[in-house]
Amino acid sequence: MKETDLGPPVAAWFRDLGWETGWDVYQEVGLPSGCCDMVVRHGTIIGAVELKLRLGFDVLEQGARHRPFVHYTWVAVPGRPLHEGSLQAKVCDWLGLGVLCVRDAAYDGSRLVTESVEPKLTRRISMPDIAKYLHEEQKTYSPAGSSGAPRWTPFKAVCKEIKAAVAANPGLTLNELVAAAKHRYRTPKAARVAMYSWLHKEIVPDVHARK
């Protein structure tokens, strides 16, 4: 089993939770606490999920690092559910981390997900606008657990906006492009400087600048 094999059953578990509507699942998301294998969202509630092949200190450290920035944090590992009262369960509970155990079903070859430890709620997260790091493209761009694979970034998002604006209105001036394309810069001046550099270096795919 690979880490990427854990992603689909864990994502399905969140989508099928017994709420009125399931959670949205984003994969390979860059957060202030580092790249996260999976981020889940239900309304204003945000959760982080790290996938690993064993429940070791590395994944516990990753989970602990994410916890101040999201409301809930889980780690997902293969295997049977943890025994209640085991040292692993006690350590995860002490850290406030939930544990999802993924195992093969005996009857049809599907994978079952069990929440062995419930995560603790972080009521006041350190970055209330954490949802700004979530984009629709992250739902399908790169599978969760893809170590080293390309992931959706703010730069890719701006490039997509530039391409859409130019496709809709060919021949835009730089000022018109800055006004038409959504970007992450605080001021139009900063956006103009960045876009001018990108366009003249031809690093925005299929968009060319002309004097």
Side-chain angles (χ1 to χ4, degrees):
M1 184 181 290
K2 304 185 296 293
E3 288 181 15
T4 49
D5 295 328
L6 298 173
V10 171
W13 186 81
F14 278 103
R15 295 189 185 108
D16 295 340
L17 279 178
W19 296 40
E20 186 174 341
T21 57
W23 294 62
D24 289 320
V25 178
Y26 304 83
Q27 305 177 88
E28 295 298 320
V29 179
L31 296 177
S33 49
C35 185
C36 185
D37 288 331
M38 186 180 292
V39 175
V40 295
R41 179 181 185 180
H42 191 280
T44 59
I45 303 300
I46 307 290
V49 187
E50 285 291 352
L51 313 177
K52 277 292 182 290
L53 296 182
R54 67 183 190 88
L55 190 58
F57 285 112
D58 52 349
V59 72
L60 297 182
E61 184 177 0
Q62 284 178 298
R65 193 165 60 239
H66 293 314
R67 194 165 173 244
F69 294 91
V70 295
H71 299 96
Y72 294 103
T73 305
W74 291 264
V75 297
V77 294
R80 292 185 172 278
L82 301 180
H83 291 293
E84 186 177 355
S86 67
L87 180 60
Q88 287 178 311
K90 288 179 179 179
V91 169
C92 291
D93 182 66
W94 178 72
L95 291 171
L97 304 177
V99 180
L100 301 175
C101 295
V102 183
R103 69 187 191 279
D104 292 331
Y107 47 88
D108 63 359
S110 63
R111 290 197 164 107
L112 304 176
V113 178
T114 303
E115 187 179 55
S116 286
V117 179
E118 293 186 8
K120 293 181 180 178
L121 172 65
T122 303
R123 294 188 180 276
R124 293 188 177 183
I125 58 178
S126 59
M127 186 174 286
D129 60 344
I130 192 72
K132 71 181 182 182
Y133 292 92
L134 304 180
H135 304 277
E136 191 68 21
E137 291 81 2
Q138 292 165 331
K139 293 181 178 181
T140 57
Y141 190 79
S142 189
S146 303
S147 178
R151 56 187 175 87
W152 189 256
T153 62
F155 173 72
K156 288 186 174 73
V158 176
C159 286
K160 181 181 178 182
E161 289 289 335
I162 290 174
K163 288 178 65 176
V166 172
N169 298 282
L172 287 175
T173 66
L174 184 58
N175 285 339
E176 290 170 339
L177 179 60
V178 170
K182 294 179 182 178
H183 55 79
R184 58 190 174 91
Y185 295 94
R186 293 184 179 180
T187 65
K189 181 179 179 181
R192 279 196 301 272
V193 171
M195 290 184 189
Y196 179 88
S197 175
W198 299 343
L199 294 173
H200 282 271
K201 291 179 181 178
E202 298 188 346
I203 59 176
V204 179
D206 304 321
V207 178
H208 306 283
R210 295 177 182 174
K211 293 184 178 180

